[in-house]
Amino acid sequence: MTDVAEQSLVAEWHALLARHAAVSGALECRLQDEHGIGVNEFETLERLATCDRKCRAADLTDATHLTQSTTSRLISRMERDGLVERSMCDIDRRGIFVMLTAAGRRLYEEAKPTHRAVLREQLAGEG
Amino acid sequence: MTDVAEQSLVAEWHALLARHAAVSGALECRLQDEHGIGVNEFETLERLATCDRKCRAADLTDATHLTQSTTSRLISRMERDGLVERSMCDIDRRGIFVMLTAAGRRLYEEAKPTHRAVLREQLAGEG
DNA sequence: AGACGATACATGCATGTGCATCTAATGCAA
DNA sequence: TTGCATTAGATGCACATGCATGTATCGTCT
């Protein structure tokens, strides 16, 4: 690999880092300020809202790119805040289902326009 | 904005999230396993190595997309591990200079091929 | 010179994170 | 059926992170 090719690879990585930092930072601020949730909470709400209201914990791990343990605690925090509920998974009693509460669905609907607006601002003309 | 345009915006964001998670996750693993450092440590080493060996703390904050306090602690950890040194900044006594030690420079040179290899694997054919 | 807001960095504190591990349930094999 | 490796999720622990704030210095204005 030539030096110039390597440099462009590094530049691409730095661009990816910068874009991720910009978008997730902006989302984090706006979602926190306007709705009191973070990016991971929003992604979790969205996944649950578009998943027939019933979702395994492992599905949420995939959706958020977090680890299994972090997902477990995220669910706990959201449960504490009344946004989701855990329920026993009858087909596999090791697992759990996570479901949106009414408050969780309401918060998702409220936060969604903010989320989309930030994406429009941050990703404008770069698709 | 049409629904389809909104969906593509969301898809673009999710693609960015996935790419970031894949590349930074792979870098984190490989750099940790093979050299005992994380992505932020590597970016800091690289910045210092390509910056005439002298850098203000604030410059490192920019390079890593971290906050100021996190950067301060990152420098502390790297100083504890013998990779960098803090020195008084004579032109502005509020600030500090951060410099690579010989060990820090050696570690950077060792880790750089790993870093580039992971970028090649992860970013292949997507530039 | 003296006062005051701005800037650079450090730090106390609460919280988020991953790793390793634990428990319980599953599936498969003997 | 019993035994054992595997899987789902919870949790103890150490550590990283950000926010708010503290300290010292700088620059400017009077």
Side-chain angles (χ1 to χ4, degrees):
Chain A
M1 167 166 276
T2 64
D3 275 6
V4 52
E6 178 174 303
Q7 280 314 303
S8 98
L9 209 57
V10 174
E12 185 184 345
W13 167 231
H14 284 166
L16 178 59
L17 270 178
R19 257 161 89 69
H20 177 267
V23 181
S24 72
L27 276 174
E28 207 72 57
C29 280
R30 294 276 298 275
L31 288 174
Q32 195 65 55
D33 285 355
E34 299 179 21
H35 309 286
I37 56 175
V39 172
N40 290 331
E41 281 81 357
F42 180 83
E43 293 293 337
T44 298
L45 290 177
E46 185 152 79
R47 177 72 161 219
L48 290 172
T50 57
C51 198
D52 264 349
R53 290 165 160 255
K54 228 172 194 181
C55 219
R56 295 290 290 265
D59 299 327
L60 300 176
T61 299
D62 297 341
T64 53
H65 303 287
L66 298 173
T67 62
Q68 180 269 320
S69 75
T70 302
T71 301
S72 174
R73 287 180 226 267
L74 180 59
I75 295 169
S76 293
R77 287 195 298 275
M78 294 178 71
E79 191 174 35
R80 181 200 63 194
D81 296 341
L83 301 176
V84 305
E85 276 175 2
R86 272 185 249 241
S87 71
M88 284 305 117
C89 173
D90 43 357
I91 56 173
D92 181 347
R93 293 173 48 183
R94 291 169 303 181
I96 59 165
F97 281 130
V98 184
M99 291 170 299
L100 276 185
T101 62
R105 177 164 293 273
R106 198 179 324 120
L107 182 56
Y108 169 63
E109 296 297 345
E110 287 168 7
K112 188 168 148 181
T114 300
H115 183 263
R116 303 302 194 248
V118 172
L119 290 191
R120 275 196 298 279
E121 293 163 17
Q122 294 289 326
L123 300 176
E126 310 193 31
Chain B
M1 167 165 275
T2 63
D3 274 6
V4 52
E6 178 175 302
Q7 280 316 303
S8 97
L9 211 57
V10 173
E12 186 184 344
W13 167 231
H14 284 166
L16 178 58
L17 271 178
R19 257 161 88 70
H20 177 267
V23 182
S24 72
L27 277 175
E28 207 72 58
C29 280
R30 294 277 298 273
L31 288 174
Q32 196 66 55
D33 284 355
E34 299 179 21
H35 309 285
I37 57 175
V39 173
N40 291 330
E41 281 80 358
F42 180 83
E43 293 293 336
T44 299
L45 290 177
E46 184 150 80
R47 177 71 160 221
L48 291 172
T50 56
C51 197
D52 262 350
R53 289 166 160 255
K54 227 172 194 181
C55 219
R56 295 289 291 266
D59 298 327
L60 300 177
T61 299
D62 297 341
T64 53
H65 303 288
L66 297 174
T67 62
Q68 179 269 318
S69 76
T70 301
T71 301
S72 175
R73 287 181 225 266
L74 179 59
I75 295 170
S76 294
R77 285 195 299 276
M78 293 178 72
E79 191 174 34
R80 182 200 62 194
D81 295 340
L83 301 176
V84 305
E85 276 175 1
R86 272 186 249 242
S87 70
M88 283 304 117
C89 173
D90 42 358
I91 56 172
D92 181 348
R93 293 174 45 184
R94 291 169 303 180
I96 58 166
F97 281 131
V98 183
M99 292 169 300
L100 275 185
T101 62
R105 177 164 294 273
R106 199 179 323 123
L107 182 55
Y108 169 64
E109 297 297 344
E110 288 168 7
K112 189 168 148 180
T114 301
H115 182 262
R116 303 301 194 248
V118 172
L119 290 191
R120 275 197 298 279
E121 291 163 17
Q122 294 290 325
L123 300 176
E126 310 194 31

